[in-house]
Amino acid sequence: MIRMILADDEPIITRGIKKLLNWKILGIEIIGEYEDGRKALEAIIRDKPEIALLDISMPGMSGVEVLQECRAMESGVSIIFISGFQDFEYAKAALQYGAVDYLLKPVIREELLKAVEKAVAGMAEGVEPERADVKDNEGTGGINYEFLVEDEESGYVPIYAEVIYDKEENEQIRKLIHFSMTSFLEEYLYETKLGIVFQKNDKIVIILRGIEDRQIREVVEDIWTESQKATGHAVFFVIGDVVGSMREIPGMFQQCLTRSGYLFFADQMTVPILNLHERVFPQRGDSRMLGELRGRLFEAVVAQNEVQMKEYARQYGRLVLCLSEGKKEDACFYFCSAVRFMEEKCEAHELPGRKVEMKELLERSRECSCFTEMESLFEEEFGEYLERIKLVAVNSDKRDILKAKDYIEKHYMDNLSLNVLAEEIHMNPYYFSSFFKKNMGENFKDYVNRIRVEHAVPMLISTDMKTYEIAEKVGFGDIRMFNAAFMKIYQETPGSYRKRVRG
């Protein structure tokens, strides 16, 4: 026997429909009659009729709203609309949501019979109404939508949940853990009457109901704690905004999925729970700081200071964490750029590098299962440079010239003289002058001026500072000295260079 419900706010209409056809002969049982849309929806969820005849305009919920909720819940009920003449175009347009047919009031017997036959034929052929952007539900025991509509005043909180696995756990073990976690959540939510859980395309979906905004985070943290106790695994949660109807749940859940990239960074969170709009890691700098930290890393490596190298690597990782904003690929790029910088600086200073294959290093970083593992990978890479330089016998001259270059790099903006640097290297100034030119291929003054000009160029391009201000900032005594040094290297004045490059 096919079960059917009727819903119309005019009882005379439902009585008339019951008399129009011999429903028993057709194999159809009318199991309920309702005068508002909300009660009709509850009946569809609770009693699961195969057919529903709904008025377009009803109190509580309109027929179209009932249909939208049914499609959001993937209910298989076949819906036939009944409408007055003034709602004709509205009813016709509602067919796009998957209604079987629509009938104008007063309902004509032959048209009613035709619409019912169409609904029954669709069921016999296994044809479901068209539904937009909805895929087959996967789950362990069906979705208890009836629970969600028990209180019509409740709002719904969609939550995306994902188990945080250990790297060593294979696919088979992960499936068992996933099943265990889902089973626990089903039992916990049923006992606490907080909501329901089901699976959608292998994603765990939690729907909380009737919880005040200020309590949502606390409730989810309790679920997180209890799930860890029960399964031995933590869960990553993204909490969506509160929505007012069930048909809004899929769209809000899709918004939650946009933050799924933060799962890779979950090991850096005290409790891996995100709200949809919050900043996950506080911003403590910008991309320019990456360059500064790369320089400090290299200096620590050259100085053979392992403790300092690890500290700068840790700071670099914290900055990468903030700048990546949940994108694993960005984190890979930032770390790989530090290794590339290290390689280039070693080559420039004639130090032993490692000739790293960047494509291979990028693939290795992509294979990391969490951010902590990626940090460790790159700390090892930096350590390799430190060991390379330590193992190679660098003669005294190279150590001294390296120390001199390092001192110039740090103090080029000061009143740096040959005597000052000779004293720093513990050499006679006259000897140091020839020593420097022999090892560097240019005299001390030209080298310092070149370093100053190199630091001035980015300011010319990316700032609006006056030329004399830049000259003073990089250590030139006056603008004429800056112009002369710049002309010697670039064969044009700083002003001309700025205009040409910006143009």
Side-chain angles (χ1 to χ4, degrees), residues 216-435:
I216 294 171
R217 178 87 185 195
E218 182 180 341
V219 167
V220 177
E221 286 183 358
D222 288 342
I223 296 173
W224 181 82
T225 301
E226 294 304 316
S227 65
Q228 280 204 124
K229 291 179 183 177
T231 67
H233 279 71
V235 191
F236 169 75
F237 292 108
V238 180
I239 305 171
D241 296 336
V242 178
V243 296
S245 65
M246 284 184 285
R247 68 173 176 272
E248 296 177 84
I249 291 174
M252 181 52 63
F253 183 71
Q254 286 301 316
Q255 290 188 48
C256 292
L257 288 179
T258 63
R259 306 210 94 190
S260 60
Y262 277 103
L263 177 61
F264 178 75
F265 303 87
D267 60 324
Q268 301 298 312
M269 306 175 200
T270 306
V271 179
I273 299 172
L274 307 184
N275 290 320
L276 194 56
H277 307 290
E278 71 178 343
R279 179 176 288 281
V280 182
F281 303 108
Q283 189 75 21
R284 295 175 182 170
D286 54 36
S287 57
R288 288 176 295 182
M289 292 182 65
L290 290 174
E292 183 179 333
L293 282 171
R294 284 194 288 260
R296 291 178 183 176
L297 260 171
F298 175 72
E299 290 171 3
V301 166
V302 171
Q304 295 291 284
N305 190 330
E306 185 174 1
V307 173
Q308 197 173 61
M309 182 208 75
K310 289 184 176 181
E311 173 58 24
Y312 287 140
R314 187 196 67 80
Q315 291 180 25
Y316 192 85
R318 295 308 90 190
L319 189 55
V320 168
L321 191 66
C322 295
L323 295 176
S324 298
E325 295 185 342
K327 300 179 182 68
K328 179 180 180 180
E329 194 69 17
D330 285 7
C332 293
F333 170 78
Y334 290 135
F335 276 121
C336 285
S337 68
V339 174
R340 183 187 295 277
F341 176 86
M342 193 77 70
E343 190 70 30
E344 291 173 350
K345 293 295 282 185
C346 283
E347 183 177 348
H349 287 76
E350 298 181 8
L351 292 171
R354 299 182 53 235
K355 305 301 180 188
V356 177
E357 179 56 54
M358 296 308 299
K359 184 177 180 181
E360 179 185 337
L361 181 60
L362 186 60
E363 288 304 317
R364 286 171 57 202
S365 66
R366 286 170 175 160
E367 290 170 3
C368 293
S369 60
C370 64
F371 186 77
T372 298
E373 185 182 347
M374 185 180 287
E375 271 192 307
S376 298
L377 167 66
F378 283 94
E379 186 177 309
E380 290 175 8
E381 289 293 317
F382 301 142
E384 287 290 332
Y385 282 96
L386 187 142
E387 290 301 319
R388 281 291 182 94
I389 295 173
K390 184 187 294 183
L391 291 173
V392 174
V394 181
N395 61 41
S396 178
D397 283 358
K398 277 206 168 182
R399 283 199 301 269
D400 288 337
I401 202 65
L402 189 62
K403 187 176 180 181
K405 290 171 67 177
D406 185 59
Y407 190 88
I408 292 169
E409 185 65 28
K410 290 179 179 177
H411 299 276
Y412 66 88
M413 72 293 294
D414 300 333
N415 184 20
L416 185 59
S417 67
L418 187 142
N419 286 344
V420 170
L421 190 52
E423 184 177 350
E424 183 71 23
I425 306 300
H426 306 296
M427 281 188 186
N428 179 283
Y430 296 101
Y431 174 75
F432 177 72
S433 178
S434 60
F435 166 82

Side-chain angles (χ1 to χ4, degrees), residues 64 66 98 107 124 154 178 189 195 200 276 330 402 438 458-459:
V64 173
V66 173
V107 177
S154 295
H178 184 92
L189 293 171
K200 188 73 175 174
L276 194 56
D330 285 7
L402 189 62
K438 176 184 174 183
M459 297 185 215

Side-chain angles (χ1 to χ4, degrees), residues 137-138 143 145 157-162 178 182 185-186 189 195-208 237 249-250 252-254 256-257:
N137 179 64
E138 303 165 344
I143 305 173
Y145 284 112
V157 184
I159 299 172
Y160 160 53
E162 190 77 50
H178 184 92
T182 307
L185 291 171
E186 286 177 350
L189 293 171
I196 64 171
V197 63
F198 57 93
Q199 295 183 65
K200 188 73 175 174
N201 301 326
D202 292 326
K203 304 294 184 185
I204 300 174
V205 185
I206 296 173
I207 312 295
L208 301 182
F237 292 108
I249 291 174
M252 181 52 63
F253 183 71
Q254 286 301 316
C256 292
L257 288 179

Side-chain angles (χ1 to χ4, degrees), residues 102-162:
Y102 61 90
L103 305 171
L104 279 176
K105 298 177 183 179
V107 177
I108 299 172
R109 183 178 184 277
E110 288 73 17
E111 291 179 351
L112 175 60
L113 182 60
K114 182 180 177 181
V116 171
E117 286 177 345
K118 187 176 179 181
V120 173
M123 288 186 291
E125 295 171 6
V127 177
E128 293 188 13
E130 293 182 7
R131 50 191 71 172
D133 300 324
V134 177
K135 297 183 179 179
D136 292 339
N137 179 64
E138 303 165 344
T140 54
I143 305 173
N144 182 18
Y145 284 112
E146 183 178 349
F147 173 79
L148 294 182
V149 296
E150 286 176 355
D151 181 1
E152 63 183 59
E153 299 300 322
S154 295
Y156 308 109
V157 184
I159 299 172
Y160 160 53
E162 190 77 50

